[in-house]
Amino acid sequence: MSDKRWMQEALKEAEKAFRLGEVPVGAIITHSDDPDKLPGELVVRAHNLVETLGDPTAHAEIIAIRLAVDILQTKWLSGCRIYVTLEPCAMCAGAILQVRLSRLIYSVSDPKAGACGTLENLVQDARRNHQVDMTFGVLADRSRELLRSFFRHRRRGARVVDRGGLENRCAFAGTEGSNPSLSATKQ
C-alpha cells in the first residue's frame, strides 16, 4: 500500500472523531519486517478521544502507540510507521521518539502546536539518540478541509452527535469496536 492509501485509513479515523465531536485527528500504525520497504500490515487504528474520555492525553497518536505496544508485545516500534492526519504536538512527538517509530507520515501542519517541523522539530533533532524519517503533506487538502469543517461547526455552536457506545470509539486493526481503555489482545 502507498502512503496515500494508508493516509486514507487515518482519515477514516479522523472522520469518526469528527462524528464524536472530537477534533478530527486519526492515526494508524503499520508494521513491516523490513522498514525500508512499504509498510506491510495495519496494526492499529485510533482517533482523538480527549473529550469522550475526559483525558487531555487521549490524542490519536498516543492511543495508537499504546495499542501497538500492547498488540506487538514490545516497547519498541522500530519496524513501524505512524500515519497521522495532523502534525503531532510535542507530547505525541515525544511518544513517537520514545517508542522509536521508524517513520512519521502526516497530512497537514499545525501552526499552533506542531512539533514535527512547524514550531520545532523534535523527531529529527540530531542531538537526540533517535530520529524519525518524516513525510508530510499526504492528502493535505482532505485533512485540512475536515479540520476546517469541524471548527466551523464548533464556532457556530453546532455539536456533532454520534456518541454511540464506548466500544465504537477506537479499534484494533480488524476488530472494530474494541475498547482501548479496557484491554488489548494480540492479533
Side-chain angles (χ1 to χ4, degrees), residues 128-144:
R128 299 183 186 279
N129 65 344
H130 178 68
Q131 292 85 41
V132 178
D133 290 333
M134 187 170 59
T135 301
F136 59 92
V138 178
L139 299 180
D141 290 341
R142 190 163 162 213
S143 293
R144 188 176 298 108

Side-chain angles (χ1 to χ4, degrees), residues 157-170:
R159 285 285 181 225
V160 185
V161 290
D162 179 15
R163 287 286 176 191
L166 184 58
E167 65 278 359
N168 293 323
R169 303 215 177 118
C170 196

Side-chain angles (χ1 to χ4, degrees), residues 54-101:
D55 178 357
T57 69
H59 291 198
E61 303 95 321
I62 299 296
I63 294 168
I65 287 168
R66 288 177 179 162
L67 292 171
V69 163
D70 200 24
I71 288 169
L72 297 173
Q73 298 181 338
T74 179
K75 64 182 181 179
W76 307 124
L77 299 178
S78 56
C80 297
R81 298 172 181 203
I82 188 166
Y83 292 79
V84 189
T85 58
L86 180 65
E87 178 182 2
C89 67
M91 174 183 68
C92 295
I96 288 167
L97 283 170
Q98 290 301 316
V99 297
R100 300 176 188 267
L101 279 156

Side-chain angles (χ1 to χ4, degrees), residues 11-58:
L11 278 161
K12 288 177 186 176
E13 290 302 309
E15 290 165 357
K16 288 179 187 177
F18 183 98
R19 289 190 300 273
L20 290 170
E22 298 279 353
V23 175
V25 178
I28 66 163
I29 293 179
T30 63
H31 180 266
S32 176
D33 291 330
D34 184 354
D36 292 328
K37 292 184 179 177
L38 285 175
E41 63 184 80
L42 180 64
V43 178
V44 295
R45 51 180 59 242
H47 52 269
N48 274 1
L49 290 172
V50 171
E51 301 301 325
T52 302
L53 298 178
D55 178 357
T57 69

